[in-house]
Amino acid sequence: MSGLFRSLFGAFLSWWGVFVMGALDSSMLFFLPFGIDALVVYLAARNDALFWAYPLLATAGSLTGAALTFWIGKKGGEAGLRRFVSVRRVERIQNRVRNGGAIALAMPAILPPPFPFTPFILTCGALDVDRARFFGTLAAVRLLRFGAEALLARAYGGGILRVLQSGPFRMVVIGFIVVAVIGTIASGVVL
């Protein structure tokens, strides 16, 4: 079991793993709170020479996953949106998007979980928000978020790696994986 876990988890500890995790994080298919953030921090702390590449890859992956989610929202429209998001949440997000401008687009992209990022992307697609404005803002803010994480990881890399490789932290990771599996299954049941 340990070998299987290590090989599955190890697959994400690469440049392409950051891209894939970023795409999954912004999609409706996968649920892992802080997954992409932890991956960017870990890899940037571990590889000082390439710390700058991980935010770029995470942002590119996030844009890829968001494009699919945005497209689903656009195809479903406002009526289809209610299938994925509660009416109360849709109305709140609609008001923010219609009245808040670029700041309303930027805030969900920079805030960490538990802010509902995927419903926000779906709503923007359903409301036919300008794609260039949406994805430009999303790219800038995600790059800022992941870049700040990578810079902090580079500065405090040794301490971060000691914490990430400790026994208690591994138990937390296992807990998050269990939550991810349950959340992914639950979101699949809802779809």
Side-chain angles (χ1 to χ4, degrees):
M1 181 70 161
S2 177
L4 175 66
F5 174 74
R6 202 168 285 164
S7 64
L8 286 174
F9 187 69
F12 282 101
L13 299 177
S14 65
W15 67 267
W16 61 270
V18 174
F19 179 85
V20 170
M21 181 66 83
L24 289 173
D25 183 60
S26 296
S27 74
M28 299 170 30
L29 307 173
F30 188 70
F31 177 77
L32 181 60
F34 297 108
I36 186 62
D37 301 292
L39 188 59
V40 168
V41 167
Y42 177 75
L43 290 174
R46 192 178 77 172
N47 191 346
D48 197 41
L50 292 176
F51 83 97
W52 58 270
Y54 301 117
L56 295 172
L57 292 164
T59 300
S62 185
L63 290 172
T64 302
L68 176 63
T69 305
F70 188 92
W71 178 79
I72 290 169
K74 186 169 180 63
K75 288 295 179 188
E78 286 188 50
L81 184 62
R82 292 182 182 358
R83 181 173 173 226
F84 299 108
V85 184
S86 71
V87 174
R88 195 177 107 235
R89 185 173 281 169
V90 167
E91 289 170 358
R92 259 196 346 249
I93 295 172
Q94 284 174 331
N95 289 334
R96 283 185 190 152
V97 169
R98 287 187 178 134
N99 301 328
I103 292 177
L105 297 176
M107 288 307 293
I110 203 162
L111 293 174
F115 189 84
F117 186 56
T118 304
F120 180 79
I121 298 170
L122 277 170
T123 303
C124 287
L127 294 177
D128 203 23
V129 170
D130 179 61
R131 274 181 258 147
R133 184 174 134 220
F134 177 79
F135 286 104
T137 303
L138 179 63
V141 173
R142 286 300 219 187
L143 190 57
L144 176 68
R145 173 179 165 178
F146 298 136
E149 291 171 351
L151 282 171
L152 288 170
R154 182 174 188 229
Y156 301 105
I160 290 171
L161 289 176
R162 278 190 297 280
V163 169
L164 294 178
Q165 293 169 348
S166 70
F169 188 80
R170 289 182 185 190
M171 296 306 293
V172 169
V173 168
I174 290 170
F176 270 113
I177 290 171
V178 169
V179 168
V181 169
I182 292 169
T184 302
I185 291 169
S187 67
V189 170
V190 171
L191 294 178

